[in-house]
Amino acid sequence: NAGVTQTPKFRILKIGQSMTLQCAQDMNHNYMYWYRQDPGMGLKLIYYSVGAGITDKGEVPNGYNVSRSTTEDFPLRLELAAPSQTSVYFCASSRDRVSNQPQHFGDGTRLSIL
Amino acid sequence: GIQVEQSPPDLILQEGANSTLRCNFSDSVNNLQWFHQNPWGQLINLFYIPSGTKQNGRLSATTVATERYSLLYISSSQTTDSGVYFCAGSNYQLIWGAGTKLIIKP
């Protein structure tokens, strides 16, 4: 049982490049989330999904896009990478909305934009 | 929106000591969680505790919802307890505090 799996673990991008951060969970959870964590800070919600085909913005969605074609996968796309997007990105899942169930986290993707 | 303040920001203790971490909320929340981020960056959910008291081994947490604060107690600290402890609360989306960085010295 792998839980939440994120790939890649590390990545360096040039300004203006694009990339997709992958996230997959094998717990059949309906809810999935993308967070970013800047140095010395707590997590901030970028996007979340309540099920396949349904996504919604979080606190800091600008510069990102998501899709949810299956229950298992929730990729995060950066279209035009900017230095301000240098951060550690965490994907999480929960059976129900955060208010009811604890969240399970992936190990994170450390992204640097140069 | 909800503001989350954690104190102290940093805490250095000797192995075996006890500690209390505090989390204050600017408004009432119906969901409150405590997380531990280990030195390798991994996040572990410790408690889901919108009110009352829970215990899990050497860790326990108490939330007084009417006064908008929560406390995390760590007893008989071990070096593996080192890391950053976050609280997060919401009525809809989780809002995270800046964390308490805990260092346990052997």
Side-chain angles (χ1 to χ4, degrees):
Chain A
N1 193 342
V4 179
T5 303
Q6 290 184 237
T7 57
K9 294 189 185 303
F10 303 95
R11 184 72 184 268
I12 297 174
L13 286 181
K14 294 182 179 179
I15 295 172
Q17 286 186 320
S18 62
M19 77 162 294
T20 299
L21 282 66
Q22 302 291 344
C23 175
Q25 53 92 7
D26 61 0
M27 297 171 281
N28 201 32
H29 283 171
N30 290 321
Y31 286 71
M32 296 187 73
Y33 314 82
W34 273 107
Y35 292 94
R36 60 177 286 171
Q37 184 180 27
D38 297 326
M41 303 292 288
L43 276 64
K44 292 188 176 182
L45 183 64
I46 305 171
Y47 271 96
Y48 67 100
S49 169
V50 304
I54 306 170
T55 63
D56 206 349
K57 296 178 180 179
E59 188 180 358
V60 289
N62 292 343
Y64 307 95
N65 281 300
V66 294
S67 60
R68 184 95 180 270
S69 57
T70 66
T71 299
E72 295 77 19
D73 299 301
F74 189 39
L76 176 72
R77 178 133 182 108
L78 284 71
E79 290 293 350
L80 290 171
S84 61
Q85 293 177 306
T86 293
S87 190
V88 180
Y89 292 83
F90 287 97
C91 178
S93 72
S94 62
R95 186 180 307 119
D96 297 297
R97 199 161 70 92
V98 165
S99 61
N100 294 325
Q101 295 291 337
Q103 294 189 329
H104 302 262
F105 286 85
D107 288 342
T109 294
R110 188 174 297 274
L111 181 62
S112 295
I113 314 297
L114 304 176
Chain B
I2 297 169
Q3 305 295 317
V4 180
E5 291 185 359
Q6 291 188 244
S7 60
D10 300 281
L11 189 57
I12 302 174
L13 298 172
Q14 289 295 132
E15 200 169 22
N18 302 328
S19 59
T20 300
L21 283 58
R22 186 177 179 103
C23 179
N24 291 331
F25 290 86
S26 61
D27 202 349
S28 59
V29 296
N30 58 26
N31 170 19
L32 193 150
Q33 301 187 42
W34 283 95
F35 298 87
H36 177 222
Q37 187 168 39
N38 67 23
W40 297 271
Q42 295 172 319
L43 281 159
I44 304 296
N45 185 286
L46 298 175
F47 292 103
Y48 166 67
I49 184 164
S51 64
T53 297
K54 288 186 177 179
Q55 183 159 4
N56 184 2
R58 296 181 295 103
L59 273 63
S60 64
T62 295
T63 297
V64 182
T66 54
E67 298 187 20
R68 303 197 298 271
Y69 73 89
S70 183
L71 302 173
L72 178 69
Y73 305 97
I74 305 174
S75 64
S76 304
S77 299
Q78 300 176 358
T79 55
T80 52
D81 295 330
S82 296
V84 183
Y85 290 81
F86 291 101
C87 68
S90 81
N91 290 315
Y92 186 65
Q93 296 175 4
L94 272 182
I95 303 298
W96 294 61
T100 291
K101 184 175 182 179
L102 178 63
I103 297 174
I104 305 298
K105 294 186 172 182

